[in-house]
Amino acid sequence: MKVIQVKHAQEGGKQAFAQLKEAMDKGITTLGLATGSTPVTLYQEMVTSALDFSHLTSVNLDEYVGLSGENPQSYRYFMNEHLFNKKPFKETFVPNGQAKDLDEECARYNDIIAQHPIDLQVLGIGRNGHIGFNEPGTSFDVQTHVVALTDSTIEANKRYFDSIEEVPTHALSMGIASILKSKQIILMAFGKEKAAAVAKMIEGPVTEQLPASVLQMHPNVIVIVDEQAASELTK
Ligand code: GLP
């Protein structure tokens, strides 16, 4: 893992954008994208850049079960608002949280990932070390799956909803096995509340109890952290 420390999220977005640009110069075709507040500065850089993304395909990590793409809290809506409406892509994929048969939707999404191998995957990290919505205890071998969100994740994500009761209890998430197949991964983490998870991810044992620790086994990972998120690193 290569760790890049930046002053703040804004600079983190610029760093991630520089990495993306380098990968695009090498001819990548498929981006794995993430939601949450963390990648927003990267998406701002992309939107204000002169770069054209209309030849790229994107495959998003996850979506809440039960929310339609028109719901402002859905991840499809988030992606449209922050990136796709402003910078067109060739094709964009987000799991369908409203699919009648969720197992079928997981299989469909696995096919999409298989047809569009991810060149560069963007990741945030949950306070409990989750990536995508792969919560602690998730097998490293799973592909797209239905997830029961932990109380810690529901609590952390309630800030986007009017009340905690409105936060969906389940999500569809790309699995860790799929994430690991990405050729390159950029994980960003900003803020004090990510410090413990970041330290365990980089310096702790590889364990399913801290899903992001699996990234230690991937050959091409760049971690971009601000000073606060790096504050519990010892090395
Ligand atoms: C959600 C998303 C993750 C994201 C995490 C952290 O649970 N499923 O992909 O990394 O939240 O979010 P934030 O970046 O807002 O801290």
Side-chain angles (χ1 to χ4, degrees):
M1 277 180 175
K2 180 178 170 194
V3 181
I4 300 177
Q5 194 179 318
V6 294
K7 282 213 166 56
H8 41 62
Q10 224 64 38
E11 196 189 326
K14 285 191 200 305
Q15 271 290 347
F17 178 72
Q19 302 291 340
L20 167 67
K21 201 164 170 297
E22 201 180 308
M24 282 178 68
D25 288 344
K26 291 183 187 146
I28 61 163
T29 59
T30 306
L31 293 183
L33 296 178
T35 51
S37 55
T38 305
V40 167
T41 52
L42 165 62
Y43 298 156
Q44 284 165 352
E45 292 294 324
M46 291 170 75
V47 165
T48 54
S49 77
L51 287 191
D52 174 35
F53 302 102
S54 62
H55 60 294
L56 293 186
T57 297
S58 70
V59 185
N60 256 79
L61 283 170
D62 47 15
E63 179 60 285
Y64 286 119
V65 167
L67 301 193
S68 87
E70 278 86 59
N71 186 315
Q73 267 75 41
S74 73
Y75 285 168
R76 161 53 77 183
Y77 189 96
F78 176 100
M79 290 309 302
N80 289 347
E81 281 290 296
H82 285 90
L83 186 59
F84 304 146
N85 289 346
K86 296 167 180 157
K87 282 280 189 185
F89 275 58
K90 181 173 153 205
E91 267 180 308
T92 65
F93 296 103
V94 179
N96 175 9
Q98 286 208 309
K100 286 214 171 60
D101 184 330
L102 294 176
D103 291 335
E104 221 169 75
E105 175 59 12
C106 290
R108 186 188 74 92
Y109 212 67
N110 286 336
D111 285 345
I112 289 170
I113 299 166
Q115 283 158 24
H116 303 280
I118 296 169
D119 294 304
L120 173 61
Q121 175 68 57
V122 174
L123 292 178
I125 183 170
R127 296 170 197 193
N128 61 4
H130 74 244
I131 45 177
F133 265 133
N134 294 287
E135 296 281 25
T138 307
S139 161
F140 288 160
D141 298 328
V142 297
Q143 298 191 62
T144 308
H145 57 134
V146 182
V147 181
L149 301 179
T150 62
D151 291 345
S152 132
T153 298
I154 291 174
E155 180 64 30
N157 290 0
K158 74 172 185 200
R159 64 192 193 275
Y160 296 111
F161 294 81
D162 288 337
S163 70
I164 195 162
E165 287 76 34
E166 283 178 35
V167 187
T169 55
H170 290 75
L172 293 169
S173 181
M174 197 187 279
I176 290 179
S178 314
I179 293 173
L180 287 179
K181 281 198 194 124
S182 316
K183 295 190 192 89
Q184 184 181 11
I185 296 175
I186 297 178
L187 183 144
M188 292 185 279
F190 308 126
K192 194 162 52 50
E193 63 281 1
K194 301 293 172 70
V198 164
K200 287 183 194 153
M201 164 178 75
I202 298 173
E203 297 179 353
V206 175
T207 163
E208 288 176 352
Q209 294 314 312
L210 201 292
S213 65
V214 77
L215 300 178
Q216 291 178 29
M217 304 179 57
H218 190 284
N220 193 357
V221 178
I222 297 176
V223 178
I224 299 175
V225 278
D226 69 359
E227 285 166 4
Q228 289 187 322
S231 61
E232 290 188 30
L233 289 169
T234 60
K235 291 170 201 153

